[in-house]
Amino acid sequence: MDDRAGITLIAVMAFLIAGSAAAAELPQGPCGAKAPGEAQRRKGGEGVPPLPLPATPQRRTEKKRPPSPPPLAAKIAYGGVQTIERDGKTVKYHDWNKDPGDLKTLLNIANKELDFRYSSKRGPLESFPADPARYPVYYYTGSRGFSLSDAQVQKIRKFVRSGGTVWGDTCFGNPDFFEAFVEQMSKVFPGREFRRLPPRHPVYHCFYDIKNVQYTRSVRDVEGTEGPPVLYGLEVGCRTPIIISRYDLS
């Protein structure tokens, strides 16, 4: 995995940690904003109106597509369509995409603060190669439980052994997703346990020194709304390639 890619995602995601409420108070349905739109660039030129000739050149502008930055993360789609009644209307959404603008907003901040330009893509796991040189990070998020097939377990194992990183974000701090992520990713490397990452872990010091963060609400693992981030990781060899935030980063 590219060192700058890892620093970008891990440092900024740790920097943006936000808390959530107790399970009984957790909101349901989609949250957050839509993904920010692409910036439009235009190039100037001269155009020629239709016949009859002679014609006089006229100024015109047209959209110019900027070069695409390399992808940093693949946001993994899973599960079916969910529905919820809100304000008398039925809202449909996917649990994995409850915050459509999460990665786009994150990478926009990273591009400005860290001067790295990366993009992201989303889709089912089967649509992405198990090659961290092309997609350094697999990103899972949601608030419900989910499961991995045997083929998906083998693919993630190959991806991690090749140098890839799997990042989980517990939307709304919902324990259902957190427990499912820990259980399913434990299948990837049986016999290894998720442990809470201590303050000295490199993830908190790879770019910024992260000691305390602000939570939007009181959380069980922190006194009040300010305290250390709560990340759990599974170690493979000399690194921690699978990490999940117990509370909401999105």
Side-chain angles (χ1 to χ4, degrees):
M1 176 180 175
D2 184 277
D3 289 340
R4 300 206 322 168
I7 288 173
T8 302
L9 187 74
I10 295 174
V12 180
M13 291 187 90
F15 182 72
L16 293 179
I17 289 176
S20 187
E25 302 173 355
L26 293 174
Q28 298 296 321
C31 65
K34 295 181 179 179
E38 298 287 350
Q40 293 186 2
R41 301 182 181 182
R42 296 180 182 272
K43 62 181 180 179
E46 290 187 343
V48 178
L51 294 176
L53 296 173
T56 302
Q58 296 179 335
R59 293 292 302 178
R60 63 185 175 89
T61 60
E62 60 184 34
K63 291 183 179 180
K64 180 181 180 181
R65 178 176 297 177
S68 298
L72 173 67
K75 186 175 183 179
I76 307 301
Y78 61 87
V81 176
Q82 306 292 329
T83 60
I84 185 175
E85 295 295 325
R86 178 177 291 175
D87 298 328
K89 297 181 180 179
T90 300
V91 178
K92 296 183 178 181
Y93 66 97
H94 288 89
D95 191 60
W96 64 269
N97 200 33
K98 295 178 80 166
D99 190 354
D102 52 2
L103 277 183
K104 193 70 175 291
T105 300
L106 171 69
L107 293 178
N108 282 347
I109 294 173
N111 292 340
K112 295 177 181 178
E113 297 295 328
L114 308 179
D115 196 26
F116 297 161
R117 290 198 58 79
Y118 289 103
S119 63
S120 63
K121 293 188 178 181
R122 60 188 186 180
L125 181 62
E126 291 71 23
S127 65
F128 299 107
D131 181 3
R134 295 181 61 185
Y135 294 92
V137 177
Y138 286 168
Y139 171 54
Y140 282 83
T141 183
S143 60
R144 295 173 176 264
F146 70 97
S147 61
L148 297 173
S149 67
D150 291 341
Q152 290 173 331
V153 167
Q154 294 176 12
K155 183 171 186 177
I156 294 175
R157 183 182 299 132
K158 178 181 178 181
F159 173 73
V160 170
R161 284 177 172 171
S162 300
T165 297
V166 181
W167 189 284
D169 171 44
T170 308
C171 193
F172 296 132
N174 195 308
D176 292 343
F177 176 84
F178 176 79
E179 293 169 3
F181 184 92
V182 169
E183 178 184 2
Q184 297 302 310
M185 293 301 163
S186 294
K187 296 179 181 179
V188 178
F189 294 99
R192 302 177 187 270
E193 296 182 358
F194 275 83
R195 302 180 187 277
R196 182 168 174 177
L197 303 185
R200 66 180 182 276
H201 193 279
V203 71
Y204 300 126
H205 307 285
C206 63
F207 198 95
Y208 298 110
D209 282 324
I210 307 299
K211 296 181 180 179
N212 288 327
V213 295
Q214 293 288 335
Y215 291 85
T216 58
R217 305 180 186 181
S218 296
V219 298
R220 183 175 57 185
D221 297 277
V222 177
E223 294 183 4
T225 58
E226 181 176 348
V230 183
L231 303 180
Y232 285 78
L234 187 150
E235 294 184 356
V236 178
C238 60
R239 71 189 188 100
T240 312
I242 305 179
I243 298 174
I244 181 169
S245 172
R246 176 62 185 87
Y247 300 104
D248 203 332
L249 289 171
S250 58

